[in-house]
Amino acid sequence: QVQLVESGGGSVQSGGSLTLSCAVSGIIFSRNAMGWYRQAPGKQREWVATITSGGFTNYADSVKGRFTISRDNAKNTVSLQMTSLKPGDTAVYYCNRSPSPLGYWGQGTQVTVSS
């Protein structure tokens, strides 16, 4: 049974930082590329970042240079360090396999950035 449990969200002011974490179970974590996605109110879910099983990373243009994705294969966790946050980063953040997300999504973690 797949489980994706996101945590670490919160409310910050513009320019602030947050680090999100996701605990993954039910898949062979070390063999899967993982990613972060987000969904802002009234918008479709969008891809944010990917980290491959080998540690290569890729980012959406909107977060490049501000966000850093990492993984710990020993703990089956994937993290997203977010700096220089903007109000446009306000969304619910989810982790999942990337690309090709699994059919199951966790509850996500809310990030709210105020100006």
Side-chain angles (χ1 to χ4, degrees), residues 16-32:
S17 301
L18 283 173
T19 298
L20 309 182
S21 184
C22 177
V24 182
S25 59
I27 63 172
I28 303 175
F29 180 80
S30 62
R31 296 183 185 178
N32 282 272

Side-chain angles (χ1 to χ4, degrees), residues 62-83:
S62 59
V63 306
K64 200 171 293 183
R66 300 188 298 120
F67 290 11
T68 303
I69 188 171
S70 60
R71 66 188 296 157
D72 186 333
N73 287 340
K75 296 181 179 179
N76 284 13
T77 58
V78 57
S79 298
L80 186 69
Q81 182 179 11
M82 306 184 295
T83 63

Side-chain angles (χ1 to χ4, degrees), residues 38-46 87-94 110-112:
R38 66 186 182 185
Q39 187 167 19
K43 296 187 177 181
Q44 289 192 329
R45 187 176 289 148
E46 65 175 357
D89 296 319
T90 295
V92 179
Y93 284 72
Y94 303 87
Q110 176 71 48
V111 172
T112 303

